[in-house]
Amino acid sequence: MKLHELTVEQMLSWERDGYLVLEQFLSPEEVNKYNREIDKAFEIWRERGGHNPETGQLRHVDQICGIIEYDDCFLELMEHPRMMNILRDVIGDAFVMIDNDVLLKRPHTESHTHWHRDTGNLLYMNEKKVPFMAKVFYFLSDVPYNGGCLAFLPGSMHMTNDRLPKVEKPEEMPGHVRMNVKAGTAVIFHGYTYHSALRNESEVTRRSLVYNYAPSFLRTWPGYEPSEALKTKADTKLRQMLLGMLPWYADPGVFDA
């Protein structure tokens, strides 16, 4: 199997655990840039009334759904060349971006999700097992162990629902792994991997950008459809593919531009 970005060891880890941690994916300068633009985006969002689509709204977290509409830097991050090659390794040569958010998890706030899978579907394409969706978190702050971590149950993508442990509080999940990572870390995970967001008991706001990708026979989730203004910026085949503006087909050439 030809890999575009991942090492064999990383691919084996992905297939075993259902997630990958990519340290120092973003530089400190990039982290600072995205944080500045996020603060500006929240100012604009509040001026517009501070509304999110019901399909995307979470509790106990500050959130903007469709962050790629707010600045070109977020649109460009959607198509980060290295991440595109990672997605080619785990999904294939045809995929779309189905939702995108910025999430700020303030200090001393409750969990905004319990343990869940993002999808109940498993998928094979061309005899290859691929995720029905793959979600990417870019962390823009250091996340302490008690800082509202994204958490995974390793290997749970291979478990049937009846084998998954049941807990009252998310933090009680046996064998979970917390993403207490440094700013600039990217984490990608399989949509069938059991995961949760834990309570933020720290003094630090967890800051993250989230992009969700899926095979291109799917389309953008309701409420996240690109605006006409955004579509006018889709001046490459890659961007048109990611925004769901092209028919479902696989063309490796879109990644060469």
Side-chain angles (χ1 to χ4, degrees), residues 35 40 54 57 65 68 85 99 102 113 121 150-151 155 157 159 165 183 187 198 212 242:
N35 276 322
K40 293 178 184 177
E54 292 183 6
Q57 183 61 55
C65 299
I68 60 174
N85 279 331
D99 62 69
V102 59
T113 65
N121 297 312
L150 171 66
M157 58 185 280
M159 300 170 67
V187 175
L198 308 183
N212 198 9
L242 292 173

Side-chain angles (χ1 to χ4, degrees), residues 160-176:
T160 57
N161 288 330
D162 61 330
R163 290 181 56 211
L164 294 171
K166 304 297 189 292
V167 295
E168 182 176 344
K169 297 179 180 179
E171 291 79 11
E172 295 174 347
M173 176 61 66
H176 76 267

Side-chain angles (χ1 to χ4, degrees), residues 205-256:
T205 296
R206 196 199 82 180
R207 301 171 67 97
S208 54
L209 286 163
V210 185
Y211 294 80
N212 198 9
Y213 301 87
S216 59
F217 62 81
L218 294 178
R219 283 295 174 263
T220 307
W221 289 161
Y224 288 89
E225 299 91 343
S227 66
E228 292 303 315
L230 189 62
K231 289 179 182 179
T232 64
K233 298 179 181 181
D235 53 0
T236 65
K237 292 288 188 182
L238 174 59
R239 192 168 289 184
Q240 291 166 11
M241 180 185 76
L242 292 173
L243 294 178
M245 298 167 60
L246 293 177
W248 175 30
Y249 76 108
D251 177 13
V254 303
F255 301 97
D256 297 334

